[in-house]
Amino acid sequence: HVQLVESGGGSVQAGGSLRLSCVASGYSFVMGWFRQAPGKEAEGVAVIRSDGILAYSESVRGRFTISKDKTKNTLSLQMSNLKPDDTATYYCAATWACYSGAQALRSDGYSYWGQGTHVTVS
């Protein structure tokens, strides 16, 4: 059983930065961040595997950085140069499946989800 709790959301102006955190209670092979705007399905943002392999969506590549602190069992997402299109509720997700690349950014492959933290960019 894995429990995930996100934090760090807020309201910022375009060009600003935010850092999201996700505290995990258990181990998963793949952990990542997804986001969902009103009227849309969840969108993969960034993932990291336990072996260090990373994947980013093209819309955030170069602006967002995902990382994991093994000692604290915490997943982070550093978001820079934020745009209005980044406005959404951001969710931390985890799975034991060995996903990679585009497959790892699909929301239907994840077993565990946090409650979300909202980000508004104006």
Side-chain angles (χ1 to χ4, degrees), residues 52-100:
I53 299 298
L54 307 172
Y56 291 95
S57 70
E58 292 300 322
S59 63
V60 307
R61 192 182 302 277
R63 299 188 298 120
F64 292 9
T65 301
I66 188 171
S67 62
K68 185 177 182 179
D69 186 331
K70 296 180 180 180
T71 62
K72 300 179 180 178
N73 202 26
T74 300
L75 185 74
S76 298
L77 184 69
Q78 178 63 50
M79 305 185 294
S80 300
N81 299 318
L82 285 162
K83 305 175 180 180
D85 285 347
D86 295 321
T87 296
T89 299
Y90 284 71
Y91 298 89
C92 179
T95 181
W96 291 327
C98 300
Y99 297 139
S100 63

Side-chain angles (χ1 to χ4, degrees), residues 5-20:
V5 181
E6 307 98 330
S7 63
S11 298
V12 299
Q13 295 190 75
S17 300
L18 283 174
R19 185 177 180 86
L20 306 183

